[in-house]
Amino acid sequence: MPDSMRLLRQRALRARRNMTADERAHASDIICQRVLATRAWYVSDTVACFLPMQDEVDTREVIERSWRAKKRVFVPVLRASAEMAFCEMSPETELERNEFGIWEPVRGFLTNARSLDVVITPTVAFDDEHNRIGMGSGYYDRCFAHLRHRRHWLKPKLIGVAFQCQKVEKIEPNPWDIRLYSVISDA
């Protein structure tokens, strides 16, 4: 990984961690309301959304509103082969932490990423061109590689969510990086 990407990731993570709990909660609420107001979410039947770690955007409102709207909700699960799948989740789903400390369903129906309508995507850093820097493991880029050579946007629509303090001027994408459909922040 180029040093410039590493520095951008470190700076964005530091900015996110420096937010107070109240700032994070308020910004998360704004971001969730904006996601729920998108046409992409409104017309979707299947929504994938990450379960937040401690300083990420709190996406639980998107998950809960999706259930109330009778949408099927899926969350990412990581596989030993460095692949990511999506497992259906309901309000009764039992969760446990994986080796990275991320909450995942203990069991459930797995679906192909291509069958999802919208994927709310965790984002460490982003720019105006909808380029994204994640945590550096490449799970999302590998999972959605089928979107790389599209002429028109295909399913699913990847909607990145991040706090405005995580925005950077320019990200030079790698050839394997998957650009987001849109990015929603609190600004």
Side-chain angles (χ1 to χ4, degrees):
M1 173 192 358
D3 284 342
S4 61
M5 291 284 255
R6 188 174 290 113
L7 290 173
L8 289 175
R9 178 180 292 116
Q10 289 171 352
R11 187 171 42 185
L13 284 170
R14 191 175 322 109
R16 185 172 84 185
R17 288 178 185 137
N18 285 338
M19 294 175 71
T20 67
D22 286 345
E23 290 169 337
R24 197 174 298 110
H26 179 70
S28 290
D29 184 55
I30 291 169
I31 292 166
C32 286
Q33 295 312 313
R34 289 179 177 169
V35 168
L36 297 167
T38 64
R39 177 167 166 58
W41 180 85
Y42 184 78
V43 302
S44 67
D45 293 318
T46 56
V47 175
C49 191
F50 64 97
L51 296 170
M53 300 204 16
Q54 81 181 59
D55 60 0
E56 289 181 317
V57 172
D58 186 343
T59 56
R60 290 176 295 184
E61 179 65 17
V62 171
I63 293 169
E64 290 168 11
R65 286 279 296 279
S66 295
W67 285 328
R68 287 199 303 268
K70 306 295 186 222
K71 298 176 187 294
R72 292 178 73 192
V73 175
F74 293 82
V75 295
V77 291
L78 307 181
R79 297 289 166 239
S81 58
E83 293 180 5
M84 185 169 65
F86 287 88
C87 185
E88 191 162 13
M89 188 174 107
S90 72
E92 296 81 32
T93 298
E94 182 183 348
L95 302 174
E96 68 182 10
R97 288 190 188 268
N98 68 15
E99 63 188 272
F100 302 107
I102 299 168
W103 290 103
E104 293 182 344
V106 172
R107 68 192 65 77
F109 173 77
L110 296 178
T111 193
N112 184 305
R114 293 175 190 240
S115 70
L116 299 167
D117 295 319
V118 172
V119 178
I120 308 305
T121 308
T123 305
V124 172
F126 67 98
D127 66 12
D128 284 330
E129 302 296 315
H130 301 169
N131 292 306
R132 163 190 181 272
I133 295 176
M135 290 302 289
S137 300
Y139 283 99
Y140 279 83
D141 294 318
R142 282 190 300 280
C143 185
F144 297 105
H146 68 278
L147 295 173
R148 185 173 298 119
H149 302 294
R150 67 192 175 271
R151 292 184 190 274
H152 304 287
W153 198 274
L154 305 172
K155 288 177 29 175
K157 290 184 171 50
L158 304 181
I159 299 176
V161 292
F163 303 115
Q164 184 63 23
C165 64
Q166 296 171 257
K167 185 175 182 182
V168 298
E169 188 171 319
K170 177 89 173 122
I171 296 171
E172 291 296 334
N174 294 303
W176 57 85
D177 288 341
I178 304 300
R179 183 172 285 161
L180 298 167
Y181 176 75
S182 66
V183 180
I184 296 178
S185 78
D186 52 305

